[in-house]
Structures are given as structure tokens and as C-alpha cells.
Amino acid sequence: MALTRDQIAMRVAQEIQDGYYVNLGIGIPTLVANYVPEDMDVMLQSENGLLGMGEFPTEETIDPDLINAGKQTVTAVTGAAYFSSAESFAMIRGGHVDLTVLGAFEVDQEGSIASWMIPGKLVKGMGGAMDLVAGAENIIVTMTHANKHGVSKILKKCTLPLTGANCIKRVITELAFMEIKNGAFHLLERAPGVSVEEIQALTEADLVVNGDIPEMTF
Amino acid sequence: MSGFNKVVTSYEEALAGFTDNMTVMVGGFGLCGIPEGLIEQVNKLGSTGLTAISNNAGVDGFGLGKWLEKRQISTMIGSYVGENELFEKLLLSGEMEVILTPQGTLAEKIRAGGAGIPAFFTATGYGTQVADGKETREIDGRNYVLEPSLTADFALVKAWKADTMGNLIFRKTAMNFNPMMATAGKITVVEVEEIVEAGELDPNYIHTPGIYVQRVIKGNFEKRIEQRTIKPSSEKE
């Protein structure tokens, strides 16, 4: 069975370590916060200027001066810090964030990612996505393996305008956990009940399959 | 001390010298931490041909959305600008030019501008259309794009508290682009929630020293929320 959005988030959360500073993008990446193991402390970075993002507020604690990068009202956890946008991107560009999780339209076997613009549709802007992919050493991309017509989004070469070139190393889809190295995707894990052949069928890129590929465990 | 008294009491005074075709920075992230009264005053002045530098472009009818309604902006420099329908129309009709800039690069361009640094190299945007036409360089095996810095004729900034000498303290994530913009304006005007006497703010906790600030005005803020998100009541403790 293909993973649900929450299961993708659960699998990403397994990559988190105690003491990590983590930036989560909009969509599936946001769900990762729900699956951080209880015995671990993680500080969430929000690029509009908050380290230590907490849950949504109550009617009583809501504060228009405290939002996340998606412009939602949030709270701050114990030990949080506020800072300017320049400081925030110094953290990101300087490689101080331990893990960045973001979504994508396409990724390719050179590690390039397209996530901000579809020609012909209104361009709203890249926000902080280009800075995040350029700055972070440790990035996990969460995305669907193919579009609803079965056209692969795991490509030899991205077709959409890039967010970043040669910067992505790990991708988790509803079917597979893959690593990008030496100009190819390497299959690390399968979603439970999904065969290597099914993954290959929906992967346009070169896919290296070494030996038995284990199923993900939750 | 009066030479250092930055306080003005009217928006006319706050924006004295503001004219058509100027470059103006406006602080805020979405509608959080925007100088509402200063934006309103520029709207009232009706200045046109403006180059606006701001992370976002407001929403329909609020924030920079008001400048869009009056067609005051000819060039918009921001990282994410699509929260209003009018913006789309102006963009598609060619009435307004838009220069999309990665958010961290935008912040650093403004910081550099205020700090007297004309340009800097960043890996952000290398290999993307952001790098088109720009100088690139390989440094220690990695590729970088040369990004010129930004300054402005006016910087319109929102802070939480100021003292009469223009020392500023920001509050929570309403800080965002405001501190850098304060340094990058030829004339920096700051709208605050509270003005106190010099000496009342602890010098240890000043975010922006008064040297960057030319004018301070006390505003009244609506503080509109874009995405009101509340914890589901079942989770309430």
C-alpha cells in the first residue's frame, strides 16, 4: 500500500535526532512535527524569525505578532528566540539548521529540485525555498512519486524552473525512500506491500536497486 | 538633547519629502509587523511610480494592497507576492514589474545595503532563473551568484517601542525585515506602539540603535491576522 500523507511524515520523523534544529516546509513537512518521538527535544525554526515554534494558540493566547512562515498564528516554546529575517537566513544559509524538510513538484537524479513555479500559472514567488535548499546540508524532500495521471515526478532532469541545482540527497514518496548519489536514485526502502517493480514503473530517473530492498517500518 | 529628538506627531511630518518615483522599503512579513499608518499616508499622498521593496504585497484592501489599488507601485521587489487578486491583474497586464527575490537573499541585500556592502556572493539561486544575467563565481569548489545590495529613499518600519532618540525594540515575529530596512533607508521612518523617554529602554536590549532612525511616530495598529489558526478545542489543556 502506498503511504498516506501522515505515514510519509512518520517516516521522515524517524530521521530526527534529539537536539535537532529543524525547518519544516508547508504541506506534508508540517505534519512531521506531530510525529517527533516523545523522548526527543526538537526546536522548530520558522524562517520569518522564530526558533522554537510551538503549537497553535488558543483564543486567549492568540497574538498577531507571533506567526509562522505560512502566516498562521502560532506559539513559542520554552527556550524560544525571535530574530530578524537576516539572522534567520544566516542560520539557514550558514548551515546551522540540522534538518530541512520540504515538498517538491519534481526532483531529478542530479539532485536538482523544482518546487516554486509552474509556467502558465500565476507566479507567487519562491519565498525562502531557494535559500533553504542552497543552505541546508541535510534536506529531505517529501512528494508524490507521480502525478494523478501516472506521470513520474522522479526524473532524469527536471522540466520545471529550478528551486536549486544539485542540492537534494534524500527523497521520501508514498512509495519509496531514495537517496540521490552519483547521478542516480538509489532505492533504500519500499512502502509496505509496494514492490520494486511498482516503484520502477513510476520512476523515470535511473533507479539503482542493490539487493533486497527492505520495507519501511513504523 | 533636542538634536536627537526624532519624534514627529503627524503623518504629514513623518513622510515629508516623499515624492513620486521613489524607492521605498516597507517592513513586515505578510501583515505581521507592517507600519500601517505610514502605508496609509503614502496611499493618501497618492505618490506613483514607486519601487516598493517588501517581502509581500499585502492583501486586497490592506497593507500594500492599498497601494496596488491606486496603481502607486511600478516595480515590486519581494519574495512572495500573491496574496491578492489585484496583484495578479497588474502583473499580467504589465502595469507593474515584479522582481522576485529569494527571501534570504532579499534580507541580506537589505542588510548589506545598510552596512555599506555593495554586493555579496550567495549559493542561493545558483543554477536557477534568479541567477540569469548575474555574475557567478566558483569559490572553494562551490558556485555562487553575485547579488547587489539594496538601499531606499525611504524605509517605512514598524517597531514595538522607541525612545525619543529613535532606539528601537521589536516584538516577537513582528521584527522580520524591519531591523535591516531601518539601516537601509536614506530616511527611515518608524511607526511604533509606544514612545518612551530616552533612558527608559535598557541599552542592553536595544535591537536597532537610533543612529539609523530619522523619524519616529506613534501609531494605532489594527494588526489584522491573515491566517487565524487556533488549537482544536479538544486539545485545549
Side-chain angles (χ1 to χ4, degrees):
Chain A
M1 280 290 285
L3 302 184
T4 62
R5 288 161 56 88
D6 277 274
Q7 284 173 316
I8 294 175
M10 285 164 74
R11 181 61 194 84
V12 174
Q14 292 175 11
E15 300 300 307
I16 288 175
Q17 292 177 27
D18 194 18
Y20 259 21
Y21 294 102
V22 178
N23 183 293
L24 301 176
I26 292 165
I28 293 174
T30 304
L31 299 174
V32 173
N34 300 335
Y35 300 104
V36 175
E38 280 192 11
D39 58 349
M40 285 188 192
D41 283 327
V42 165
M43 289 291 261
L44 298 177
Q45 204 259 14
S46 187
E47 62 264 27
N48 56 315
L50 166 60
L51 189 61
M53 179 168 59
E55 57 194 352
F56 294 135
T58 62
E59 287 289 354
E60 292 72 38
T61 60
I62 193 166
D63 183 344
D65 286 343
L66 184 47
I67 63 169
N68 64 16
K71 304 185 181 82
Q72 297 171 309
T73 46
V74 292
T75 57
V77 301
T78 302
Y82 305 114
F83 35 82
S84 73
S85 301
E87 183 85 47
S88 180
F89 284 93
M91 293 174 192
I92 290 165
R93 203 186 303 104
H96 304 279
V97 176
D98 296 301
L99 176 65
T100 296
V101 186
L102 43 82
F105 302 141
E106 297 173 344
V107 289
D108 71 28
Q109 61 197 32
E110 302 301 330
S112 296
I113 173 171
S115 66
W116 74 282
M117 178 189 181
I118 296 176
K121 286 196 178 178
L122 176 67
V123 184
K124 290 187 170 187
M126 67 291 281
M130 286 192 180
D131 308 278
L132 282 159
V133 297
E137 191 53 38
N138 190 9
I139 304 171
I140 297 176
V141 171
T142 62
M143 60 189 294
T144 52
H145 214 96
N147 70 17
K148 55 183 177 232
H149 307 295
V151 178
S152 182
K153 303 200 273 186
I154 308 296
L155 304 173
K156 287 189 166 66
K157 195 152 188 63
C158 289
T159 63
L160 296 169
L162 296 184
T163 308
N166 316 113
C167 52
I168 304 302
K169 296 192 183 80
R170 294 192 289 173
V171 180
I172 298 179
T173 72
E174 78 282 20
L175 304 179
F177 183 3
M178 297 168 293
E179 187 181 9
I180 304 170
K181 58 179 180 189
N182 307 325
F185 284 85
H186 293 248
L187 187 57
L188 302 181
E189 295 176 17
R190 299 174 287 126
V194 173
S195 70
V196 171
E197 291 70 31
E198 286 173 78
I199 295 166
Q200 274 168 331
L202 286 173
T203 305
E204 192 253 355
D206 296 329
L207 183 68
V208 177
V209 181
N210 274 327
D212 282 341
I213 305 299
E215 288 188 351
M216 295 176 197
T217 53
F218 295 101
Chain B
M1 286 289 283
S2 63
F4 288 111
N5 188 351
K6 313 284 175 77
V7 178
V8 297
T9 51
S10 74
Y11 283 101
E12 289 78 12
E13 244 183 301
L15 285 168
F18 194 93
T19 61
D20 291 352
N21 305 313
M22 276 190 162
T23 297
V24 54
M25 292 180 177
V26 186
F29 185 95
L31 301 180
C32 182
I34 61 173
E36 297 178 17
L38 296 173
I39 291 171
E40 183 73 42
Q41 179 63 20
V42 170
N43 194 227
K44 232 182 248 173
L45 288 172
S47 318
T48 57
L50 301 176
T51 296
I53 302 169
S54 186
N55 189 56
N56 313 93
V59 298
D60 285 314
F62 197 68
L64 293 193
K66 293 197 146 185
W67 294 9
L68 296 175
E69 277 172 20
K70 266 199 178 172
R71 311 292 192 266
Q72 293 181 272
I73 302 175
S74 62
T75 304
M76 176 79 212
I77 300 175
S79 86
Y80 193 84
V81 286
E83 306 291 6
N84 47 58
E85 289 175 22
L86 182 57
F87 186 92
E88 182 175 354
K89 275 188 207 151
L90 296 178
L91 182 60
L92 295 175
S93 69
E95 282 183 80
M96 184 173 61
E97 186 195 3
V98 178
I99 302 172
L100 291 173
T101 306
Q103 198 176 124
T105 295
L106 180 63
E108 192 63 13
K109 280 159 96 76
I110 298 164
R111 194 198 70 78
I117 296 168
F120 57 92
F121 281 106
T122 176
T124 302
Y126 181 83
T128 76
Q129 64 185 50
V130 164
D132 287 351
K134 290 176 185 160
E135 185 182 336
T136 59
R137 188 179 298 183
E138 189 182 319
I139 301 172
D140 290 337
R142 215 177 159 200
N143 292 304
Y144 298 88
V145 185
L146 185 68
E147 290 283 1
S149 63
L150 289 169
T151 55
D153 297 306
F154 269 79
L156 309 185
V157 164
K158 194 270 168 179
W160 181 32
K161 289 183 184 181
D163 67 19
T164 54
M165 296 177 74
N167 293 304
L168 307 179
I169 294 178
F170 302 93
R171 185 171 179 276
K172 301 189 178 180
T173 57
M175 180 185 290
N176 55 63
F177 283 82
N178 284 297
M180 294 87 73
M181 289 184 174
T183 69
K186 287 192 192 85
I187 297 176
T188 291
V189 189
V190 187
E191 189 177 18
V192 299
E193 294 176 46
E194 188 182 354
I195 300 175
V196 300
E197 288 303 318
E200 283 187 40
L201 300 178
D202 184 337
N204 282 302
Y205 297 108
I206 301 294
H207 289 125
T208 293
I211 191 169
Y212 298 112
V213 174
Q214 278 68 49
R215 301 171 193 166
V216 173
I217 187 165
K218 188 191 169 307
N220 293 299
F221 296 88
E222 177 186 333
K223 293 196 184 182
R224 196 180 290 186
I225 294 174
E226 250 174 283
Q227 303 283 340
R228 187 182 189 86
T229 44
I230 301 285
K231 190 161 60 166
S233 56
S234 60
E235 284 180 33
K236 272 187 195 168
E237 284 153 26

